[in-house]
Structure formats: structure tokens, C-alpha cells
Amino acid sequence: MRDAEEPAKSPTRDVSKIARKGFLPEVSLPSPLPPEPVAIADMANMFGVTHRTLHFYEEKEIISSRRAGLMRIYSHQDVHRMAVINFCREIGIPVATIQDIMQKLADAPTQADADALFQEVLNNRKSELAAEISTVRRQIQQISDVLTDDDALDVEDDVLSDADVELSTQERKCLELMAEGYAPVRLARTLGISSEELQKLESCVMEKVSASNRFQAVAKAYMMGVIQPAS
């Protein structure tokens, strides 16, 4: 998990917006959740981040905490917010953009509006990644054009071939829905399986494409031609 950037103050933002509950999109939450209040050590462990990262996010005013003596504590709503932030960071959205996203979510008048906003964010990020993949493929081809035939073949075998990837119908559908930005709860519901079954299914997909997380699995699947970016 990436650590935080160097902290920087943001004096002009409205701190009251952090405390506003608002509506949050469906994302995978840590399970089981510890009872409230959640200590900062538990919050850090759940998301694989440092205390410094949490302090950084508080300075950026995208999460907030309360104090119990000298210790920072969080509510389950704060955990949900952190899950959204962590999700965005894992798919490569910068903190400055996450600030704007969280502020818009705080302003959303209904859950449907919040969900629609987040779906737009995911679709925009998906388009950015598809463009990046297209650029990388073109650059690999340019490199291959000036390599010897043997070296060029090695590059294609390592990066572009999907000959060794055999997915079942359900695994391919799962991967395609992951690429469309489906959150785990929605994905499990669409596939008609339980959360535990979805975790096993995603793990199998990630193993087959040699990925360490669901977002890397989608990127590698695009790169290998296992699935195609939406036109």
C-alpha cells in the first residue's frame, strides 16, 4: 500500500464538510469491523496504511477523527469514508481529486446521486487507464520494431500474449464487470453469488493473470488482450 505524500496544510477548505455524514458509494469494507469507537491502530491495520497516512488525510480534510484522551478514534462512517478513499488511491486517483470527490459526495442530496457521481468517477478513470494502456502497447510495439526478432518475441510473450490465460465463463464475466468499475457488493449481486464466493472467484482470476489485486488484474487483462477496453 502506498504511503502518504508530504503533508501540506489546506486552510481554505470547509472543515465542517468532513463531519457531515452525507451519502457514500458501495465499496468493499473491512470484515469484520471492530466495534466503535475504532482506534487509530485498528484503522491503520484494516487498510494497510501508517498512522502518518491517516494524519495526512486528516490534514487534507477528507477524513476526520475524534479524541479519546490522547488517542485518535473513528466511527464506522469514518471507516466507510476511508474505504472510499483507499479504493480511489488503489486505482490511481490523486489526493487532490479525491478531495473534490469527497466534497461532492458530501453535497449529494440522495444516495442515488452519490452513486451516480461515483460511477462517473469510475468511468472517467477507466477511460484514462484504457488510454494509458493503448499508449503502452504502442510504445512496446515501437520498441519491438527495433529489437531483434528473438527479443521482440520475448516482449510479446511476457506482456501481450493471452495464450496461457484460460478463464471460465463466470471468471471472464467477473473480470469484465470489475473493469466496468462494479464495487464488490454490486458485483456479487449481479453474479448471483455470496461475498465469500466472490472473494474466491476474484482470487482465482487474479492468480490466472498474475495480479496482486483486482485493479492490477483488470490492467493486465487489457494488456494481454483477455478483455477489450470499451470503445
Side-chain angles (χ1 to χ4, degrees):
M1 190 67 63
R2 64 171 55 79
D3 207 335
E5 295 88 344
E6 189 64 27
K9 298 292 184 180
S10 178
T12 61
R13 299 182 71 83
D14 183 1
V15 180
S16 65
K17 291 201 173 196
I18 306 175
R20 188 192 306 175
K21 288 192 173 183
F23 298 95
L24 295 170
E26 288 184 346
V27 294
S28 181
L29 296 175
S31 179
L33 283 176
E36 292 181 305
V38 179
I40 187 170
D42 292 330
M43 178 75 110
N45 290 336
M46 281 189 290
F47 294 101
V49 300
T50 64
H51 291 204
R52 180 175 176 272
T53 297
L54 295 173
H55 297 165
F56 171 74
Y57 289 158
E58 289 189 37
E59 289 170 356
K60 289 298 181 182
E61 300 176 357
I62 52 180
I63 60 171
S64 62
S65 65
R66 305 187 308 280
R67 292 278 186 173
L70 298 177
M71 183 176 64
R72 282 179 166 86
I73 57 174
Y74 302 89
S75 67
H76 284 173
Q77 181 76 359
D78 298 320
V79 174
H80 194 165
R81 288 181 65 86
M82 182 60 192
V84 175
I85 294 164
N86 199 57
F87 180 96
C88 290
R89 291 297 281 150
E90 285 192 334
I91 61 174
I93 298 178
V95 171
T97 303
I98 295 174
Q99 286 178 290
D100 293 332
I101 292 169
M102 300 308 289
Q103 195 164 36
K104 289 176 181 177
L105 288 173
D107 290 334
T110 67
Q111 184 66 57
D113 288 317
D115 291 341
L117 187 155
F118 200 61
Q119 287 299 306
E120 182 180 1
V121 168
L122 295 183
N123 281 324
N124 289 341
R125 182 57 184 155
K126 179 183 171 184
S127 296
E128 292 171 357
L129 291 172
E132 291 172 13
I133 290 168
S134 178
T135 298
V136 170
R137 291 176 70 93
R138 185 179 68 252
Q139 291 171 339
I140 290 173
Q141 185 58 54
Q142 289 173 327
I143 293 170
S144 297
D145 289 343
V146 298
L147 290 173
T148 65
D149 290 342
D150 288 343
D151 287 338
L153 180 60
D154 288 341
V155 171
E156 291 171 1
D157 286 344
D158 288 343
V159 182
L160 299 179
S161 176
D162 67 341
D164 296 329
V165 180
E166 296 182 2
L167 299 177
S168 67
T169 300
Q170 188 182 47
E171 288 168 347
R172 187 174 297 276
K173 181 63 174 178
C174 176
L175 189 55
E176 289 172 347
L177 294 177
M178 286 163 60
E180 291 181 24
Y182 276 50
V185 173
R186 185 184 178 197
L187 181 52
R189 186 186 306 130
T190 302
L191 294 175
I193 59 179
S194 67
S195 297
E196 292 76 14
E197 290 171 328
L198 176 63
Q199 288 178 356
K200 293 179 181 178
L201 181 62
E202 288 190 343
S203 294
C204 187
V205 170
M206 288 186 284
E207 181 179 354
K208 287 187 176 182
V209 297
S210 300
S212 58
N213 58 58
R214 67 201 314 263
F215 310 108
Q216 189 180 79
V218 170
K220 284 197 169 187
Y222 280 144
M223 288 289 293
M224 292 186 293
V226 176
I227 58 175
Q228 298 298 320
S231 57

